[in-house]
mmCIF file of all heavy atoms in Angstrom:
data_model
loop_
_atom_site.group_PDB
_atom_site.id
_atom_site.type_symbol
_atom_site.label_atom_id
_atom_site.label_comp_id
_atom_site.label_asym_id
_atom_site.label_seq_id
_atom_site.Cartn_x
_atom_site.Cartn_y
_atom_site.Cartn_z
ATOM 1 N N GLY A 15 -27.087 23.891 8.486
ATOM 2 C CA GLY A 15 -27.592 24.100 7.145
ATOM 3 C C GLY A 15 -28.892 24.856 7.152
ATOM 4 O O GLY A 15 -29.394 25.275 8.185
ATOM 5 N N SER A 16 -29.468 24.988 5.977
ATOM 6 C CA SER A 16 -30.745 25.657 5.855
ATOM 7 C C SER A 16 -31.600 24.910 4.851
ATOM 8 O O SER A 16 -31.092 24.181 4.020
ATOM 9 C CB SER A 16 -30.555 27.115 5.399
ATOM 10 O OG SER A 16 -29.927 27.149 4.135
ATOM 11 N N VAL A 17 -32.894 25.114 4.928
ATOM 12 C CA VAL A 17 -33.816 24.432 4.032
ATOM 13 C C VAL A 17 -34.599 25.474 3.258
ATOM 14 O O VAL A 17 -35.574 26.029 3.757
ATOM 15 C CB VAL A 17 -34.785 23.513 4.815
ATOM 16 C CG1 VAL A 17 -35.747 22.830 3.859
ATOM 17 C CG2 VAL A 17 -34.020 22.506 5.626
ATOM 18 N N PRO A 18 -34.176 25.801 2.036
ATOM 19 C CA PRO A 18 -34.948 26.738 1.233
ATOM 20 C C PRO A 18 -36.267 26.108 0.849
ATOM 21 O O PRO A 18 -36.306 25.011 0.322
ATOM 22 C CB PRO A 18 -34.065 26.975 -0.006
ATOM 23 C CG PRO A 18 -33.112 25.832 -0.049
ATOM 24 C CD PRO A 18 -32.994 25.296 1.337
ATOM 25 N N ALA A 19 -37.381 26.771 1.155
ATOM 26 C CA ALA A 19 -38.689 26.161 0.930
ATOM 27 C C ALA A 19 -39.519 27.023 0.008
ATOM 28 O O ALA A 19 -39.371 28.232 -0.062
ATOM 29 C CB ALA A 19 -39.424 25.975 2.263
ATOM 30 N N GLY A 20 -40.408 26.372 -0.708
ATOM 31 C CA GLY A 20 -41.363 27.057 -1.559
ATOM 32 C C GLY A 20 -42.705 26.384 -1.407
ATOM 33 O O GLY A 20 -42.906 25.566 -0.514
ATOM 34 N N GLU A 21 -43.621 26.701 -2.315
ATOM 35 C CA GLU A 21 -44.941 26.106 -2.214
ATOM 36 C C GLU A 21 -44.891 24.591 -2.334
ATOM 37 O O GLU A 21 -45.721 23.879 -1.783
ATOM 38 C CB GLU A 21 -45.845 26.701 -3.301
ATOM 39 C CG GLU A 21 -46.174 28.168 -3.067
ATOM 40 C CD GLU A 21 -47.148 28.678 -4.109
ATOM 41 O OE1 GLU A 21 -47.530 27.876 -4.981
ATOM 42 O OE2 GLU A 21 -47.509 29.853 -4.050
ATOM 43 N N ASP A 22 -43.928 24.080 -3.091
ATOM 44 C CA ASP A 22 -43.812 22.640 -3.292
ATOM 45 C C ASP A 22 -42.756 22.019 -2.391
ATOM 46 O O ASP A 22 -42.326 20.892 -2.609
ATOM 47 C CB ASP A 22 -43.478 22.341 -4.758
ATOM 48 C CG ASP A 22 -44.557 22.835 -5.695
ATOM 49 O OD1 ASP A 22 -45.740 22.699 -5.328
ATOM 50 O OD2 ASP A 22 -44.214 23.351 -6.772
ATOM 51 N N GLY A 23 -42.314 22.739 -1.378
ATOM 52 C CA GLY A 23 -41.300 22.202 -0.482
ATOM 53 C C GLY A 23 -39.909 22.600 -0.931
ATOM 54 O O GLY A 23 -39.722 23.353 -1.889
ATOM 55 N N PRO A 24 -38.900 22.133 -0.212
ATOM 56 C CA PRO A 24 -37.509 22.469 -0.536
ATOM 57 C C PRO A 24 -37.164 22.119 -1.987
ATOM 58 O O PRO A 24 -37.593 21.087 -2.504
ATOM 59 C CB PRO A 24 -36.712 21.608 0.442
ATOM 60 C CG PRO A 24 -37.649 21.343 1.571
ATOM 61 C CD PRO A 24 -39.010 21.246 0.955
ATOM 62 N N HIS A 25 -36.381 22.970 -2.638
ATOM 63 C CA HIS A 25 -36.084 22.812 -4.056
ATOM 64 C C HIS A 25 -35.336 21.533 -4.368
ATOM 65 O O HIS A 25 -35.456 20.963 -5.454
ATOM 66 C CB HIS A 25 -35.266 24.008 -4.557
ATOM 67 C CG HIS A 25 -33.849 23.996 -4.084
ATOM 68 N ND1 HIS A 25 -32.842 23.361 -4.774
ATOM 69 C CD2 HIS A 25 -33.273 24.519 -2.959
ATOM 70 C CE1 HIS A 25 -31.701 23.506 -4.108
ATOM 71 N NE2 HIS A 25 -31.940 24.200 -3.017
ATOM 72 N N TYR A 26 -34.553 21.032 -3.386
ATOM 73 C CA TYR A 26 -33.717 19.876 -3.672
ATOM 74 C C TYR A 26 -34.514 18.578 -3.759
ATOM 75 O O TYR A 26 -34.023 17.585 -4.293
ATOM 76 C CB TYR A 26 -32.616 19.730 -2.613
ATOM 77 C CG TYR A 26 -33.123 19.570 -1.190
ATOM 78 C CD1 TYR A 26 -33.633 18.360 -0.744
ATOM 79 C CD2 TYR A 26 -33.091 20.654 -0.308
ATOM 80 C CE1 TYR A 26 -34.113 18.219 0.555
ATOM 81 C CE2 TYR A 26 -33.563 20.513 0.984
ATOM 82 C CZ TYR A 26 -34.073 19.308 1.413
ATOM 83 O OH TYR A 26 -34.542 19.163 2.690
ATOM 84 N N LEU A 27 -35.752 18.567 -3.236
ATOM 85 C CA LEU A 27 -36.528 17.322 -3.239
ATOM 86 C C LEU A 27 -36.813 16.850 -4.669
ATOM 87 O O LEU A 27 -36.695 15.666 -4.985
ATOM 88 C CB LEU A 27 -37.822 17.507 -2.461
ATOM 89 C CG LEU A 27 -37.662 17.718 -0.950
ATOM 90 C CD1 LEU A 27 -39.025 17.866 -0.292
ATOM 91 C CD2 LEU A 27 -36.885 16.558 -0.312
ATOM 92 N N GLY A 28 -37.192 17.784 -5.538
ATOM 93 C CA GLY A 28 -37.435 17.419 -6.927
ATOM 94 C C GLY A 28 -36.171 16.923 -7.606
ATOM 95 O O GLY A 28 -36.204 15.968 -8.389
ATOM 96 N N HIS A 29 -35.051 17.572 -7.304
ATOM 97 C CA HIS A 29 -33.761 17.153 -7.878
ATOM 98 C C HIS A 29 -33.424 15.730 -7.445
ATOM 99 O O HIS A 29 -32.975 14.912 -8.263
ATOM 100 C CB HIS A 29 -32.664 18.119 -7.430
ATOM 101 C CG HIS A 29 -31.276 17.654 -7.771
ATOM 102 N ND1 HIS A 29 -30.823 17.560 -9.063
ATOM 103 C CD2 HIS A 29 -30.254 17.235 -6.968
ATOM 104 C CE1 HIS A 29 -29.579 17.121 -9.062
ATOM 105 N NE2 HIS A 29 -29.215 16.915 -7.800
ATOM 106 N N ARG A 30 -33.654 15.417 -6.184
ATOM 107 C CA ARG A 30 -33.352 14.074 -5.682
ATOM 108 C C ARG A 30 -34.189 13.019 -6.398
ATOM 109 O O ARG A 30 -33.672 11.964 -6.781
ATOM 110 C CB ARG A 30 -33.595 14.012 -4.168
ATOM 111 C CG ARG A 30 -32.588 14.805 -3.371
ATOM 112 C CD ARG A 30 -32.738 14.594 -1.875
ATOM 113 N NE ARG A 30 -31.691 15.307 -1.153
ATOM 114 C CZ ARG A 30 -31.244 14.959 0.048
ATOM 115 N NH1 ARG A 30 -31.761 13.914 0.664
ATOM 116 N NH2 ARG A 30 -30.285 15.650 0.635
ATOM 117 N N GLU A 31 -35.462 13.307 -6.569
ATOM 118 C CA GLU A 31 -36.324 12.333 -7.235
ATOM 119 C C GLU A 31 -35.917 12.134 -8.691
ATOM 120 O O GLU A 31 -35.913 11.013 -9.208
ATOM 121 C CB GLU A 31 -37.782 12.775 -7.138
ATOM 122 C CG GLU A 31 -38.353 12.700 -5.727
ATOM 123 C CD GLU A 31 -38.145 11.331 -5.098
ATOM 124 O OE1 GLU A 31 -38.433 10.317 -5.760
ATOM 125 O OE2 GLU A 31 -37.662 11.272 -3.949
ATOM 126 N N ARG A 32 -35.567 13.237 -9.369
ATOM 127 C CA ARG A 32 -35.142 13.122 -10.762
ATOM 128 C C ARG A 32 -33.845 12.330 -10.869
ATOM 129 O O ARG A 32 -33.667 11.511 -11.777
ATOM 130 C CB ARG A 32 -34.967 14.513 -11.376
ATOM 131 C CG ARG A 32 -36.279 15.254 -11.611
ATOM 132 C CD ARG A 32 -36.061 16.513 -12.424
ATOM 133 N NE ARG A 32 -35.235 17.494 -11.731
ATOM 134 C CZ ARG A 32 -35.709 18.406 -10.895
ATOM 135 N NH1 ARG A 32 -37.014 18.462 -10.630
ATOM 136 N NH2 ARG A 32 -34.899 19.277 -10.320
ATOM 137 N N LEU A 33 -32.917 12.565 -9.928
ATOM 138 C CA LEU A 33 -31.636 11.867 -9.958
ATOM 139 C C LEU A 33 -31.824 10.376 -9.682
ATOM 140 O O LEU A 33 -31.232 9.516 -10.348
ATOM 141 C CB LEU A 33 -30.695 12.490 -8.922
ATOM 142 C CG LEU A 33 -29.205 12.141 -9.032
ATOM 143 C CD1 LEU A 33 -28.691 12.408 -10.437
ATOM 144 C CD2 LEU A 33 -28.410 12.949 -8.012
ATOM 145 N N ARG A 34 -32.666 10.063 -8.720
ATOM 146 C CA ARG A 34 -32.953 8.649 -8.429
ATOM 147 C C ARG A 34 -33.597 7.969 -9.641
ATOM 148 O O ARG A 34 -33.305 6.812 -9.952
ATOM 149 C CB ARG A 34 -33.865 8.539 -7.202
ATOM 150 C CG ARG A 34 -33.181 8.893 -5.884
ATOM 151 C CD ARG A 34 -34.108 8.591 -4.716
ATOM 152 N NE ARG A 34 -33.481 8.862 -3.441
ATOM 153 C CZ ARG A 34 -33.841 9.824 -2.601
ATOM 154 N NH1 ARG A 34 -34.847 10.630 -2.920
ATOM 155 N NH2 ARG A 34 -33.219 9.990 -1.452
ATOM 156 N N ALA A 35 -34.487 8.685 -10.306
ATOM 157 C CA ALA A 35 -35.162 8.116 -11.479
ATOM 158 C C ALA A 35 -34.171 7.854 -12.607
ATOM 159 O O ALA A 35 -34.237 6.820 -13.285
ATOM 160 C CB ALA A 35 -36.273 9.059 -11.952
ATOM 161 N N ARG A 36 -33.239 8.770 -12.833
ATOM 162 C CA ARG A 36 -32.223 8.579 -13.875
ATOM 163 C C ARG A 36 -31.347 7.385 -13.553
ATOM 164 O O ARG A 36 -30.994 6.590 -14.433
ATOM 165 C CB ARG A 36 -31.373 9.837 -14.011
ATOM 166 C CG ARG A 36 -32.050 10.982 -14.761
ATOM 167 C CD ARG A 36 -31.215 12.238 -14.705
ATOM 168 N NE ARG A 36 -29.853 11.988 -15.166
ATOM 169 C CZ ARG A 36 -28.798 12.715 -14.787
ATOM 170 N NH1 ARG A 36 -28.957 13.718 -13.932
ATOM 171 N NH2 ARG A 36 -27.610 12.450 -15.264
ATOM 172 N N PHE A 37 -30.987 7.252 -12.283
ATOM 173 C CA PHE A 37 -30.161 6.114 -11.872
ATOM 174 C C PHE A 37 -30.913 4.804 -12.074
ATOM 175 O O PHE A 37 -30.357 3.820 -12.579
ATOM 176 C CB PHE A 37 -29.750 6.277 -10.410
ATOM 177 C CG PHE A 37 -28.947 5.124 -9.874
ATOM 178 C CD1 PHE A 37 -27.618 4.954 -10.238
ATOM 179 C CD2 PHE A 37 -29.508 4.207 -9.011
ATOM 180 C CE1 PHE A 37 -26.875 3.889 -9.752
ATOM 181 C CE2 PHE A 37 -28.777 3.139 -8.513
ATOM 182 C CZ PHE A 37 -27.454 2.982 -8.884
ATOM 183 N N ALA A 38 -32.184 4.780 -11.686
ATOM 184 C CA ALA A 38 -32.986 3.566 -11.825
ATOM 185 C C ALA A 38 -33.181 3.188 -13.292
ATOM 186 O O ALA A 38 -33.185 2.005 -13.640
ATOM 187 C CB ALA A 38 -34.341 3.761 -11.153
ATOM 188 N N LYS A 39 -33.306 4.182 -14.160
ATOM 189 C CA LYS A 39 -33.576 3.912 -15.575
ATOM 190 C C LYS A 39 -32.311 3.566 -16.342
ATOM 191 O O LYS A 39 -32.305 2.630 -17.157
ATOM 192 C CB LYS A 39 -34.244 5.135 -16.215
ATOM 193 C CG LYS A 39 -34.554 4.950 -17.697
ATOM 194 C CD LYS A 39 -35.225 6.184 -18.266
ATOM 195 C CE LYS A 39 -35.515 5.995 -19.755
ATOM 196 N NZ LYS A 39 -36.174 7.195 -20.339
ATOM 197 N N SER A 40 -31.240 4.315 -16.094
ATOM 198 C CA SER A 40 -30.053 4.197 -16.949
ATOM 199 C C SER A 40 -28.812 3.650 -16.260
ATOM 200 O O SER A 40 -27.814 3.364 -16.917
ATOM 201 C CB SER A 40 -29.732 5.566 -17.561
ATOM 202 O OG SER A 40 -30.857 6.076 -18.253
ATOM 203 N N GLY A 41 -28.838 3.556 -14.928
ATOM 204 C CA GLY A 41 -27.685 3.022 -14.213
ATOM 205 C C GLY A 41 -26.613 4.057 -13.937
ATOM 206 O O GLY A 41 -26.701 5.221 -14.357
ATOM 207 N N ALA A 42 -25.564 3.612 -13.256
ATOM 208 C CA ALA A 42 -24.505 4.518 -12.800
ATOM 209 C C ALA A 42 -23.741 5.147 -13.954
ATOM 210 O O ALA A 42 -23.246 6.280 -13.839
ATOM 211 C CB ALA A 42 -23.548 3.768 -11.878
ATOM 212 N N ASP A 43 -23.625 4.432 -15.081
ATOM 213 C CA ASP A 43 -22.838 4.962 -16.201
ATOM 214 C C ASP A 43 -23.445 6.227 -16.790
ATOM 215 O O ASP A 43 -22.754 6.968 -17.493
ATOM 216 C CB ASP A 43 -22.699 3.901 -17.291
ATOM 217 C CG ASP A 43 -21.776 2.758 -16.879
ATOM 218 O OD1 ASP A 43 -21.023 2.945 -15.899
ATOM 219 O OD2 ASP A 43 -21.817 1.695 -17.531
ATOM 220 N N ALA A 44 -24.714 6.466 -16.518
ATOM 221 C CA ALA A 44 -25.372 7.662 -17.046
ATOM 222 C C ALA A 44 -25.132 8.890 -16.175
ATOM 223 O O ALA A 44 -25.535 9.994 -16.549
ATOM 224 C CB ALA A 44 -26.875 7.413 -17.179
ATOM 225 N N LEU A 45 -24.484 8.704 -15.027
ATOM 226 C CA LEU A 45 -24.288 9.808 -14.092
ATOM 227 C C LEU A 45 -22.813 10.168 -13.983
ATOM 228 O O LEU A 45 -21.958 9.287 -13.900
ATOM 229 C CB LEU A 45 -24.794 9.415 -12.696
ATOM 230 C CG LEU A 45 -26.238 8.933 -12.570
ATOM 231 C CD1 LEU A 45 -26.542 8.591 -11.121
ATOM 232 C CD2 LEU A 45 -27.210 9.975 -13.086
ATOM 233 N N PRO A 46 -22.489 11.464 -13.959
ATOM 234 C CA PRO A 46 -21.115 11.856 -13.650
ATOM 235 C C PRO A 46 -20.796 11.521 -12.192
ATOM 236 O O PRO A 46 -21.698 11.268 -11.384
ATOM 237 C CB PRO A 46 -21.109 13.365 -13.890
ATOM 238 C CG PRO A 46 -22.537 13.784 -13.731
ATOM 239 C CD PRO A 46 -23.372 12.622 -14.191
ATOM 240 N N ASP A 47 -19.523 11.532 -11.858
ATOM 241 C CA ASP A 47 -19.103 11.129 -10.516
ATOM 242 C C ASP A 47 -19.797 11.916 -9.407
ATOM 243 O O ASP A 47 -20.186 11.355 -8.382
ATOM 244 C CB ASP A 47 -17.581 11.268 -10.372
ATOM 245 C CG ASP A 47 -16.833 10.082 -10.954
ATOM 246 O OD1 ASP A 47 -17.485 9.227 -11.601
ATOM 247 O OD2 ASP A 47 -15.613 10.002 -10.777
ATOM 248 N N TYR A 48 -19.952 13.222 -9.603
ATOM 249 C CA TYR A 48 -20.513 14.017 -8.502
ATOM 250 C C TYR A 48 -21.979 13.673 -8.259
ATOM 251 O O TYR A 48 -22.450 13.722 -7.118
ATOM 252 C CB TYR A 48 -20.329 15.527 -8.758
ATOM 253 C CG TYR A 48 -21.325 16.158 -9.697
ATOM 254 C CD1 TYR A 48 -22.543 16.661 -9.219
ATOM 255 C CD2 TYR A 48 -21.054 16.271 -11.053
ATOM 256 C CE1 TYR A 48 -23.449 17.252 -10.072
ATOM 257 C CE2 TYR A 48 -21.957 16.855 -11.916
ATOM 258 C CZ TYR A 48 -23.151 17.342 -11.421
ATOM 259 O OH TYR A 48 -24.056 17.926 -12.262
ATOM 260 N N GLU A 49 -22.707 13.293 -9.320
ATOM 261 C CA GLU A 49 -24.117 12.926 -9.121
ATOM 262 C C GLU A 49 -24.234 11.559 -8.448
ATOM 263 O O GLU A 49 -25.129 11.341 -7.622
ATOM 264 C CB GLU A 49 -24.859 12.942 -10.446
ATOM 265 C CG GLU A 49 -25.102 14.356 -10.963
ATOM 266 C CD GLU A 49 -26.008 14.400 -12.172
ATOM 267 O OE1 GLU A 49 -26.073 13.387 -12.909
ATOM 268 O OE2 GLU A 49 -26.643 15.446 -12.390
ATOM 269 N N LEU A 50 -23.355 10.636 -8.790
ATOM 270 C CA LEU A 50 -23.354 9.342 -8.099
ATOM 271 C C LEU A 50 -23.048 9.554 -6.620
ATOM 272 O O LEU A 50 -23.645 8.917 -5.746
ATOM 273 C CB LEU A 50 -22.312 8.420 -8.733
ATOM 274 C CG LEU A 50 -22.364 6.939 -8.331
ATOM 275 C CD1 LEU A 50 -23.700 6.324 -8.712
ATOM 276 C CD2 LEU A 50 -21.215 6.173 -8.979
ATOM 277 N N LEU A 51 -22.155 10.477 -6.340
ATOM 278 C CA LEU A 51 -21.825 10.799 -4.959
ATOM 279 C C LEU A 51 -23.001 11.461 -4.247
ATOM 280 O O LEU A 51 -23.237 11.213 -3.055
ATOM 281 C CB LEU A 51 -20.593 11.708 -4.926
ATOM 282 C CG LEU A 51 -19.842 11.849 -3.607
ATOM 283 C CD1 LEU A 51 -19.465 10.496 -3.020
ATOM 284 C CD2 LEU A 51 -18.584 12.694 -3.820
#
Side-chain angles (χ1 to χ4, degrees):
S16 61
V17 179
E21 291 184 0
D22 299 321
H25 73 89
Y26 59 77
L27 292 181
H29 170 67
R30 290 187 176 206
E31 291 307 312
R32 289 189 296 273
L33 195 52
R34 289 187 178 113
R36 283 173 53 206
F37 177 74
K39 180 179 179 180
S40 305
D43 289 344
L45 305 180
D47 278 8
Y48 80 88
E49 287 188 335
L50 192 61
L51 197 53

